[in-house]
Amino acid sequence: MPEKKDVPQEIKDEIESLVKEVNDHNYRYYVLDSPVITDEDYDKLYRRLIQLEEKYGYILPESPTKRVGAAPLEKFAKIRHAVPMLSLDNAFSHDEMREFDRRIKKLLNRKEDIEYTVEPKYDGLAMELTYENGFLVRASTRGDGYEGEDVTRNIKTIRSVPIKIEEDGVVPELMDLRGEVYMEIGEFKKLNRRREAAGEPPFANPRNAAAGSVRQLDPSITASRRLFLACYGMGVIKGVEFRDHSGFMEWLRKKRFPVPATFEKAVGIERVLEAVGRIEQKRESFAFETDGAVIKVNDFGLQQTLGSKTREPRWAIAYKFAAHQASTKIKDIRGSVGRTGVITPYAVFEPVRIGGVTVTKSTLHNWDEIKRKDIRIGDTAVVERAGDVIPHVLMVIKEKRTGAEKTVPVPKHCPVCEGAVVREEGEVAVRCVSLSCPAQLQEKIIHFGGRNGMEIEGFGEKNVALLYSKGLIKNFEDIYRLKKEDFLNLPRFAEKSASNMINSIERSKTPTLARFIYSLGIMHVGEYAARLLAKNFARISDLYHIKPEKLSAIKHLGDKTANSLTVFFGDEKNIKTLETLEAESLRIQNPDFTAARKKLPLEGMNFVITGTLPRPRKEVEDMIEADGGHASSAISGNTDYLIAGEKPGSKLDKAKELGVKTISYEEFLKLMKSRSGNPSLF
Ligand code: IVH
C-alpha cells in the first residue's frame, strides 16, 4: 500500500469530497429523514470511497467507512463520567407538576413565571459521547451514573451520530454530549419477527432491544440494528458557552446533531402543561416510544443555582404518561365463539391497570398464536394496550415459570354449546358447526331466512334480534312454533305486520332440498354445493352420519366441503334439530334429484366388475358410464354393486367383507332397465 505522502492530490481531493458527500447524505437520511438521492446512487458513492481508501490507504478520521468493520471485543472497558449522569424525578399529574414549579420558584425566590423547555422523553438507553477537538473519541453507557461501559465502536455504527463536529463556527475543545439511544417501533417489530423466525427470544420492548443492541461485543451486530440517537444535554464542555438549554439545542441542531423530535419553550407551568399535552397527543404518531415529557428550567445560570440532589437535578422533571404495558398473571385461557362460529382464544388476567384502564382479559387471536408465543395458563404475560388498540399479550416471561404452568390444547368441542368443531388443514380458525349454538344462533337464523335460503320475509337482523332477546326463538325449531300473538306482543308489530310474518313463515315450509341445505349455513356449502347434494341425495336424512367416502365420490364437490359436511352431519344435535324441523314443520321437495335421475339412471352409483361376463368387460363399463354410473377396478366402501361373472376371485370376498351387494350380469341389466323406466323406484 502506498504511503500517505505518495497519494496524488487529486485523489486526496476526491476522497475528501466523497467523505463530505456521503456524510451529507447520511445526515439527510438519518437525521433530517429526507434523503435527496436514491439508495443506489448512495451505494455508488460509498463503494467508490471504499475503493479509493483501500487503494491509497488514505482514510480520513471522519470517514463513514470507519463506522463499521471493527473486530468483536472480549469485554467492555469501564469509563468514568467526568460529571455524573443523573436520573430524573417523576411527576404523574398536573398537580405534581405545579408543585414542582412552586418548589423552583421558592428555591429561586422568584415570583414571576419561569421559562421551561418541554421535549419528549425518549424510552431508550442514556449515553455519553465525548468529542475532543471536534472528533468523537468515546461513547459510554450511563452504567451506575458514575461509571459506564465503553461502547464507542458500537455507537459509531449509528449513522446519525456525527463522527466529526461541523467546522462552521466554533468547535469545542471538549464536549461530553448526552443523549438517548433508541430503536424505532417499526424496526423493533421487524427485529422481533426476524428473531422469532430464527427461534431467538423476542425483546419485550424497544428499550430492551436498543440496550441489547448497544451492549454487543461485536459491533457488526449493532450496525445491523438501525439505532438512533436524540441529544438532550451535556456534561463537561470547554471552548464554547451557552446561556440556556434551548440555545444549546439550537447549536446542536445547526451542527447536525440529532435533537428531540419536538422542542418547545414555555413560560409558566400552565403553558408547560399545554406543551406536555401536545406531546401526549402526538405520542402515537411518533416513530419512537415515549413514556413522557421532560421539563427543564431553560436558563443554565438558574439550573446551576438550583443544583442537584444525590440522584436527580432540581431543575428538571419527567412528566410520565400512562404506561402502555404492564405484566400480569394469566389465570385462564378460554375460547369465545363469534357469530360465525369461529372459536377465538382469550386470556383471563389478574386485573392490571394499563393506561388508566383496568385490563382483565385480552384476545389471543388464534390457537396458532398461543403455540407460537408458547402462552400457558399461569404464565406471567407482558400485556400492551396502546391508545385505542385493544389489549394484547406481547409475550410471556419464561424466566418466571415455576413449572406449574399448563399448556392449552386446541378445543375439540365448542366452549359454548359443546357442539362439534372443525379445523381445516392449513387454516388457523377453529369453528363450531352446531346449528343450536347460542353464540351463532341469530346470525344463522338471519342466513336461514334470507334470500336464496328459506326466504322468510321480515327475518332481518332487527326482527331476529328482537325475537331472540324476548326469548321467542332459542333455537331453529322455534321459528316454526311462532304464533301471531307472539308478534302482536312485540314492539313495532300490529295486526297486519304480524299476519304478514306468520304468512311468510308459512310460505317457507315447502323448500327444495337444495335451498334448505343452503339455508343451514354449513361452512363451504354455497348454492352450488347445495344443489349438487340435492342432485345426489333424495332426502336430507340421507346425509345424516354420512361417510366422507360417499361425499368425495361426488364429482365437483371439493374436499373442504366434504369435510365440513361430514362434521356437520356427524353432530347428533344437528341431526335432532333437522329431524324436529321435518317432523313438525317442513315438507322438503327435491326436484333436482328426480331430474338428475331422469337424465342418467345410474348417476352417483359405483360399480366394480369381477370374473368373466357374457359381454366384454369394456363394453359393460361403457354401458355403466353412458348411464351416468362409474366403473372402477377396486372395491371400497364407496362401491354400490359388484357385478360378478364366472370365476369371480378375491373381489367377491372383499365385497362380502365390506357388505357390498353382489349381482349377476342379468340382474345388472334389470337394474338399469328399472331405473331408466321408473326413476322414482330408487
Ligand atoms: S434530561 C440530569 N431529556 O430519562 C438528567 N433525559 O429517567 C438529564 N431521557 O437518564 C436527563 N429523554 O436517559 C433528558 N429528553 C430527555 C430525555 C431523557 C429520555 C432519559 C435519560 C435519563 C432518564 C431519566
Side-chain angles (χ1 to χ4, degrees):
M1 205 181 278
E3 284 292 302
K4 266 192 193 171
K5 59 180 182 320
D6 299 337
V7 181
Q9 190 53 45
E10 66 270 24
I11 297 293
K12 283 188 181 172
D13 288 349
E14 189 180 349
I15 289 179
E16 278 161 28
S17 99
L18 277 169
V19 166
K20 193 162 169 0
E21 225 180 323
V22 174
N23 279 340
D24 226 53
H25 290 306
N26 272 344
Y27 170 68
R28 286 176 187 283
Y29 189 89
Y30 292 101
V31 180
L32 300 181
D33 198 14
S34 67
V36 288
I37 57 166
T38 63
D39 290 0
E40 288 99 70
D41 288 343
Y42 174 88
D43 288 344
K44 260 189 226 155
L45 292 174
Y46 194 86
R47 278 201 302 273
R48 171 80 183 149
L49 175 61
I50 289 192
Q51 205 187 5
L52 291 179
E53 282 180 347
E54 280 181 354
K55 184 158 175 207
Y56 294 97
Y58 183 69
I59 304 171
L60 297 179
E62 72 269 31
S63 171
T65 64
K66 289 195 70 180
R67 289 186 185 274
V68 284
L73 286 175
E74 292 277 312
K75 67 192 251 276
F76 297 112
K78 295 270 186 244
I79 288 188
R80 254 199 117 64
H81 304 298
V83 174
M85 289 178 78
L86 300 180
S87 148
L88 286 171
D89 207 357
N90 292 321
F92 295 94
S93 67
H94 284 196
D95 279 350
E96 284 176 33
M97 286 298 299
R98 292 188 183 105
E99 178 55 37
F100 162 76
D101 180 53
R102 267 195 296 277
R103 221 162 39 226
I104 285 183
K105 281 182 171 165
K106 197 169 161 213
L107 284 167
L108 294 174
N109 199 13
R110 270 173 56 147
K111 289 222 161 31
E112 57 278 34
D113 280 339
I114 308 281
E115 184 177 71
Y116 294 102
T117 61
V118 184
E119 59 203 51
K121 184 172 191 299
Y122 283 76
D123 203 6
L125 181 70
M127 196 64 56
E128 177 163 86
L129 288 81
T130 302
Y131 287 83
E132 285 175 6
N133 300 315
F135 284 97
L136 174 65
V137 293
R138 254 184 326 275
S140 50
T141 60
R142 176 172 181 274
D144 62 4
Y146 300 97
E147 197 175 67
E149 286 175 322
D150 183 348
V151 288
T152 314
R153 290 142 30 108
N154 294 351
I155 294 307
K156 277 191 175 169
T157 70
I158 304 174
R159 308 279 165 161
S160 58
V161 172
I163 291 188
K164 181 186 173 196
I165 301 178
E166 278 292 298
E167 280 168 7
D168 192 12
V170 203
V171 171
E173 279 159 54
L174 172 71
M175 172 170 75
D176 281 341
L177 179 64
R178 307 238 169 120
E180 197 89 347
V181 170
Y182 64 94
M183 186 180 280
E184 290 189 345
I185 299 165
E187 175 71 11
F188 157 74
K189 287 185 177 157
K190 264 195 258 166
L191 173 63
N192 265 358
R193 275 199 294 275
R194 287 202 302 270
R195 287 176 71 84
E196 282 186 60
E200 291 164 334
F203 289 112
N205 49 48
R207 174 164 38 86
N208 287 4
S213 304
V214 167
R215 297 196 68 262
Q216 285 287 340
L217 291 164
D218 179 357
S220 72
I221 298 179
T222 317
S224 73
R225 297 276 173 87
R226 210 186 141 88
L227 296 167
F228 284 90
L229 173 76
C231 304
Y232 53 63
M234 61 165 99
V236 180
I237 190 157
K238 279 187 197 153
V240 54
E241 287 202 10
F242 299 98
R243 277 195 53 228
D244 50 29
H245 180 57
S246 55
F248 178 49
M249 287 291 120
E250 186 50 28
W251 180 84
L252 282 175
R253 203 179 56 75
K254 285 216 186 96
K255 292 284 189 189
R256 299 188 156 191
F257 281 91
V259 289
T262 71
F263 184 87
E264 282 191 53
K265 282 196 277 187
V267 179
I269 198 67
E270 297 308 320
R271 296 287 92 75
V272 164
L273 294 175
E274 286 163 20
V276 167
R278 281 188 283 277
I279 294 181
E280 185 156 23
Q281 241 169 22
K282 280 194 216 145
R283 186 182 185 193
E284 308 297 339
S285 64
F286 287 143
F288 54 89
E289 192 90 59
T290 167
D291 57 347
V294 181
I295 295 90
K296 298 166 188 169
V297 171
N298 194 19
D299 190 284
F300 282 156
L302 294 183
Q303 284 190 8
Q304 190 116 45
T305 313
L306 288 161
S308 299
K309 294 183 276 180
T310 340
R311 242 171 262 139
E312 307 105 2
R314 290 194 190 89
W315 45 265
I317 197 159
Y319 177 87
K320 289 296 210 62
F321 301 143
H324 279 337
Q325 281 182 16
S327 66
T328 186
K329 217 171 197 150
I330 299 178
K331 288 200 297 191
D332 200 4
I333 294 175
R334 299 178 193 158
S336 78
V337 187
R339 287 163 72 94
T340 57
V342 175
I343 304 169
T344 307
Y346 66 96
V348 181
F349 304 129
E350 300 220 332
V352 60
R353 276 186 81 75
I354 315 176
V357 169
T358 302
V359 178
T360 55
K361 57 186 186 217
S362 99
T363 175
L364 295 173
H365 303 291
N366 59 59
W367 304 90
D368 272 8
E369 174 106 340
I370 295 185
K371 210 164 151 197
R372 199 167 56 77
K373 291 188 174 165
D374 189 14
I375 302 172
R376 304 178 189 180
I377 298 172
D379 262 335
T380 303
V382 180
V383 185
E384 184 177 58
R385 185 190 152 269
D388 297 333
V389 183
I390 52 164
H392 67 277
V393 171
L394 269 183
M395 59 188 301
V396 294
I397 307 172
K398 294 193 180 139
E399 291 74 28
K400 293 216 171 163
R401 280 191 179 154
T402 61
E405 295 73 19
K406 274 189 287 180
T407 54
V408 186
V410 176
K412 297 225 158 36
H413 295 282
C414 172
V416 172
C417 73
E418 287 288 309
V421 300
V422 261
R423 180 184 207 178
E424 282 165 7
E425 240 182 76
E427 276 201 24
V428 285
V430 176
R431 280 168 215 266
C432 163
V433 302
S434 172
L435 271 178
S436 45
C437 182
Q440 308 169 61
L441 193 71
Q442 287 189 58
E443 199 76 4
K444 282 215 181 289
I445 287 182
I446 292 165
H447 175 81
F448 183 79
R451 216 183 307 149
N452 305 333
M454 304 294 273
E455 276 194 319
I456 309 178
E457 222 174 291
F459 259 48
E461 204 166 319
K462 266 196 201 147
N463 283 343
V464 171
L466 190 61
L467 290 165
Y468 184 79
S469 68
K470 298 285 174 197
L472 290 168
I473 37 178
K474 293 184 286 302
N475 51 45
F476 269 75
E477 298 90 309
D478 284 348
I479 298 173
Y480 293 99
R481 292 173 187 153
L482 287 167
K483 293 189 193 59
K484 194 167 161 189
E485 302 80 70
D486 294 329
F487 286 102
L488 284 172
N489 286 332
L490 292 176
R492 293 201 308 266
F493 277 94
E495 178 64 32
K496 181 140 187 341
S497 46
S499 300
N500 284 346
M501 284 299 284
I502 292 298
N503 287 341
S504 61
I505 292 173
E506 200 59 35
R507 268 198 309 275
S508 76
K509 283 182 167 177
T510 52
T512 64
L513 182 62
R515 263 180 189 270
F516 182 64
I517 294 175
Y518 171 77
S519 72
L520 296 175
I522 305 165
M523 204 187 7
H524 300 308
V525 181
E527 285 172 278
Y528 176 77
R531 193 74 184 271
L532 207 54
L533 291 166
K535 280 182 180 169
N536 282 277
F537 299 93
R539 292 168 294 267
I540 186 79
S541 56
D542 294 342
L543 286 159
Y544 299 169
H545 299 298
I546 185 105
K547 293 263 164 355
E549 308 90 72
K550 271 249 162 154
L551 290 166
S552 48
I554 299 174
K555 243 194 208 154
H556 306 303
L557 193 82
D559 288 348
K560 281 186 177 180
T561 314
N563 179 36
S564 162
L565 284 162
T566 315
V567 181
F568 181 90
F569 286 106
D571 186 78
E572 214 52 62
K573 277 207 255 172
N574 284 349
I575 292 175
K576 193 118 197 52
T577 301
L578 296 172
E579 277 173 350
T580 314
L581 281 174
E582 260 204 317
E584 285 186 11
S585 326
L586 302 179
R587 265 178 298 117
I588 302 168
Q589 325 277 310
N590 193 359
D592 296 298
F593 184 79
T594 321
R597 292 315 104 168
K598 253 194 199 128
K599 259 186 257 135
L600 293 169
L602 299 186
E603 180 139 341
M605 298 182 82
N606 293 310
F607 293 87
V608 175
I609 300 168
T610 183
T612 317
L613 302 182
R615 305 294 313 159
R617 181 175 292 207
K618 179 79 181 65
E619 192 182 304
V620 181
E621 280 174 358
D622 285 348
M623 279 159 65
I624 295 170
E625 299 280 344
D627 267 8
H630 179 70
S632 60
S633 53
I635 291 200
S636 69
N638 248 341
T639 314
D640 294 288
Y641 290 101
L642 175 72
I643 308 171
E646 280 175 34
K647 301 206 189 94
S650 66
K651 280 184 189 157
L652 195 61
D653 302 330
K654 185 90 193 272
K656 274 195 193 127
E657 198 181 298
L658 292 173
V660 172
K661 204 164 175 186
T662 305
I663 52 174
S664 67
Y665 178 67
E666 287 70 29
E667 282 170 315
F668 164 68
L669 291 181
K670 259 193 234 154
L671 177 79
M672 264 208 326
K673 210 167 155 205
S674 72
R675 289 173 63 91
S676 38
N678 186 357
S680 63
L681 264 181
F682 177 66

